[in-house]
Amino acid sequence: MPTTKLQKVLFGLLMSFMMVFGMEAYNHVIAASSFHVRLLLVPFLELCGLMTTVIALETLVAGRLAGKLAFRFVNPATGRPLAIILAIQISTVLLMCPMMSFVATLVFKDGLSGNLLQIWMKTVALNFPMALIWQIAVAGPVVRFAVRRMAK
């Protein structure tokens, strides 16, 4: 868990990169209905724009709410570190996935065509399981490891 201001900023940047990259690659594979290595080449401008959106939403909305939600289930003072980390990760995905799926619906999926709610709900349903797995199994551990290594 990041403790200094620099670690928190680094953690936020790396986590937003990992989540945006992973979810964009996943959504490109879903859209193509097949897997090709070139689908992992997420366009740079798309990546930067989505990272900015993720950071803004996490900073303004999800960060505080995720902590409050997580700490309803786990006591931060007495809880086991793994339980605290998992509670925060799950809470963050519960909040960020619907918000970012809404952004994706508007930007990439023609959500303004009149079927906004239907397209958004389908997008959340497709993204939520992957976002949760990616966060718990890949992004979270990789980013925590990297931040710990850079702190030394």
Side-chain angles (χ1 to χ4, degrees):
M1 299 287 283
T3 52
T4 68
K5 184 73 167 174
L6 179 62
Q7 288 175 342
K8 289 177 184 179
V9 169
L10 186 60
F11 182 87
L13 288 171
L14 289 174
M15 186 61 75
S16 68
F17 171 80
M18 286 292 291
M19 288 305 295
V20 167
F21 175 78
M23 293 308 297
E24 279 303 290
Y26 169 73
N27 278 290
H28 285 279
V29 169
I30 294 291
S33 299
S34 65
F35 177 79
H36 303 285
V37 174
R38 65 179 160 75
L39 293 173
L40 298 177
L41 302 173
V42 178
F44 180 74
L45 290 176
E46 186 177 304
L47 188 68
C48 290
L50 289 171
M51 279 181 62
T52 302
T53 305
V54 164
I55 291 167
L57 288 173
E58 202 282 329
T59 301
L60 298 172
V61 181
R64 291 183 187 108
L65 292 177
K68 288 180 183 180
L69 181 61
F71 297 143
R72 292 185 76 181
F73 300 99
V74 178
N75 184 334
T78 61
R80 294 170 50 194
L82 181 59
I84 293 168
I85 289 168
L86 286 173
I88 292 170
Q89 286 181 304
I90 292 167
S91 298
T92 301
V93 171
L94 279 169
L95 296 167
M96 287 299 294
C97 183
M99 289 189 289
M100 287 307 295
S101 293
F102 186 76
V103 170
T105 298
L106 293 175
V107 175
F108 301 114
K109 297 188 175 192
D110 198 26
L112 297 176
S113 65
N115 298 323
L116 177 64
L117 185 61
Q118 179 183 0
I119 296 169
W120 178 46
M121 288 292 131
K122 181 180 178 185
T123 303
V124 172
L126 284 170
N127 285 335
F128 185 79
M130 183 60 181
L132 191 59
I133 291 166
W134 183 254
Q135 172 59 245
I136 291 171
V138 180
V142 167
V143 171
R144 282 191 305 278
F145 175 79
V147 170
R148 273 195 309 269
R149 281 293 202 199
M150 289 179 196
K152 290 183 177 182

